[in-house]
Amino acid sequence: SEIKLTSEFTISDLININITSEGKEFAPEQEIIMEGQAKRKNGEFVNGFVDMELVQENESKNIFASDTVKNGVFSLKFSLPKETASAQYLVKINVYEKDSKGEVTNNGFANYNIFVTQVPTNLEIFLESKEVGPREIMRAKTVLHDQTGQQMSSTSVITVLNNRGKVTEQREIATDEFLEVNIPSDQFPSEWTIKASSNNLNNQATFNIKAVEKIKTEIIDKTLIITNTGNVLYNHTVLVKVGEQPLNIDVLLDVGESAKYILSAPDGEYQVDVVVDGESSLNENVLLTGKTIDIRESGLSLENNTIIWIIIIIVLVFFGIKLFNRWYKGKRSFFGYPVSGKSRTEKREETV
């Protein structure tokens, strides 16, 4: 018949979870260790189980891990797939205990945020054009991709080497920004190389200097001057129209070489049209003099034909030496030399 009351108390199945891990940023394929402590509401350590779920946009790709909790301590190890995109992810932790029948008696939940970083996995070299001509600009850039193929910002070192392997340009430049290289006007057709490096990634590509046949035409004081401004030998026929009279000239010029052609016609002003590869290259009114309409190549000049003049001088010296030797021998036979001793006839008679 006696009644006694206790002090107030709480019946709870709550488990308090304290995550002790400090890491917040991880890379794909990096091992992640999730550690923590779990206590019941009364402060006693939990002996049970722990489940982990990393939530992604596509739920079918969620990552799961499980382990046991001993004396209130748990440690979960897992890693992210290589192609995991860079973003912030939610990690759900569930700690629980079971009775002898396998039914959950106590449980608790906790959330933890981690960030997956971008990892450079591929360095691409993008060329605006695979073929570039002399006097043109080669434009190239690098594109850095992360683990999902997405572009990422960084810097790269781009090196341009000519056909002889000599470095013509080297610069550190932001990825996705174009590097411009001027191609020399006299660069002959060849293959150049571009090398790039960024974030321990390397790549290289090639581009070609294309062959360009090109000439420049101008008229100065009745003289047509044709200059090879391309990067290969120019060997074509050029049409020159003096008034209504068409004249063909065969032009053979090495790179940078020039030739002069003198125009003549009965005294008067004529329209001179120079046609190169079917297109008008020059059209001027020129005062000409002469008897007939004609065009002839100007004489060789010492400045442009040094080798020819050297050959001529060598030939002249050679023939000069031969003439001198002949003259010298003739002079010796003319004066003669005194004969000492007996004559050949006397010697022959003594022998007989």
Side-chain angles (χ1 to χ4, degrees):
S1 61
E2 292 184 2
I3 298 175
K4 291 186 178 180
L5 298 176
T6 67
S7 59
E8 292 185 355
F9 63 92
T10 302
I11 298 175
S12 174
D13 62 356
L14 178 65
I15 294 177
N16 292 318
I17 302 171
N18 178 31
I19 298 175
T20 57
S21 298
E22 296 182 355
K24 290 285 186 179
E25 291 190 1
F26 302 94
E29 298 186 301
Q30 177 183 350
E31 185 180 61
I32 301 174
I33 300 176
M34 194 69 62
E35 296 178 326
Q37 294 178 343
K39 293 181 180 180
R40 300 190 191 98
K41 188 72 173 178
N42 60 5
E44 294 180 353
F45 292 120
V46 172
N47 287 284
F49 307 91
V50 57
D51 293 337
M52 184 280 304
E53 179 182 7
L54 185 143
V55 182
Q56 301 193 58
E57 290 184 3
N58 187 346
E59 292 185 2
S60 63
K61 294 184 177 180
N62 287 359
I63 299 173
F64 299 89
S66 298
D67 205 346
T68 57
V69 181
K70 295 180 179 180
N71 297 322
V73 177
F74 64 87
S75 178
L76 290 166
K77 295 181 180 180
F78 64 97
S79 60
L80 304 174
K82 182 179 180 180
E83 64 279 1
T84 304
S86 174
Q88 184 167 293
Y89 294 88
L90 175 65
V91 179
K92 294 181 177 180
I93 303 293
N94 177 24
V95 176
Y96 55 94
E97 290 180 309
K98 292 183 178 181
D99 59 17
S100 58
K101 296 179 180 181
E103 294 182 357
V104 176
T105 56
N106 302 306
N107 60 64
F109 299 91
N111 291 332
Y112 191 78
N113 290 315
I114 66 170
F115 181 78
V116 177
T117 59
Q118 278 187 305
V119 178
T121 58
N122 176 261
L123 180 64
E124 177 189 2
I125 298 177
F126 175 79
L127 298 174
E128 194 172 62
S129 176
K130 281 282 189 177
E131 285 193 337
V132 186
R135 299 185 182 86
E136 293 182 356
I137 297 176
M138 187 282 300
R139 303 181 77 237
K141 68 178 181 179
T142 56
V143 180
L144 192 63
H145 300 278
D146 68 4
Q147 62 270 26
T148 60
Q150 295 295 318
Q151 291 189 26
M152 59 183 296
S153 299
S154 185
T155 60
S156 64
V157 176
I158 301 178
T159 305
V160 181
L161 301 96
N162 63 17
N163 58 294
R164 297 186 300 274
K166 180 181 178 182
V167 175
T168 62
E169 187 81 26
Q170 187 175 62
R171 194 186 309 170
E172 184 175 4
I173 192 170
T175 54
D176 208 33
E177 182 178 327
F178 276 103
L179 171 71
E180 296 185 348
V181 178
N182 293 310
I183 304 301
S185 60
D186 58 348
Q187 178 60 49
F188 58 86
S190 55
E191 184 180 77
W192 286 30
T193 303
I194 294 180
K195 294 184 178 181
S197 61
S198 177
N199 294 272
N200 296 320
L201 296 173
N202 299 286
N203 200 356
Q204 71 176 43
T206 59
F207 67 95
N208 294 317
I209 308 297
K210 60 186 177 182
V212 177
E213 291 183 330
K214 188 177 181 181
I215 58 174
K216 175 186 175 184
T217 59
E218 56 183 336
I219 294 178
I220 300 176
D221 192 23
K222 306 175 187 178
T223 301
L224 171 64
I225 303 174
I226 300 179
T227 305
N228 184 356
T229 57
N231 64 343
V232 292
L233 179 72
Y234 190 88
N235 185 13
H236 292 282
T237 299
V238 175
L239 173 63
V240 180
K241 295 176 67 176
V242 180
E244 297 298 324
Q245 180 69 40
L247 301 169
N248 288 323
I249 53 176
D250 294 325
V251 179
L252 179 63
L253 295 174
D254 205 347
V255 177
E257 190 177 7
S258 297
K260 297 181 180 180
Y261 301 89
I262 299 175
L263 303 172
S264 63
D267 297 355
E269 185 178 44
Y270 295 83
Q271 180 176 322
V272 177
D273 187 16
V274 180
V275 180
V276 178
D277 297 329
E279 296 183 0
S280 179
S281 171
L282 180 67
N283 192 310
E284 290 186 13
N285 290 327
V286 183
L287 288 173
L288 299 176
T289 58
K291 295 181 179 180
T292 60
I293 296 178
D294 190 23
I295 183 170
R296 59 184 176 83
E297 189 171 1
S298 177
L300 301 175
S301 65
L302 178 63
E303 180 181 359
N304 296 326
N305 301 278
T306 305
I307 296 177
I308 296 177
W309 278 103
I310 291 174
I311 294 173
I312 292 173
I313 292 171
I314 292 173
V315 171
L316 291 174
V317 170
F318 175 75
F319 281 104
I321 293 173
K322 289 193 69 174
L323 290 174
F324 175 77
N325 288 337
R326 286 185 180 180
W327 172 81
Y328 186 69
K329 289 180 180 179
K331 183 177 178 181
R332 290 180 58 188
S333 61
F334 176 78
F335 286 101
Y337 293 92
V339 180
S340 59
K342 297 179 181 182
S343 66
R344 293 181 180 178
T345 304
E346 292 175 341
K347 288 183 177 179
R348 192 180 297 115
E349 290 176 352
E350 290 178 359
T351 304
V352 174

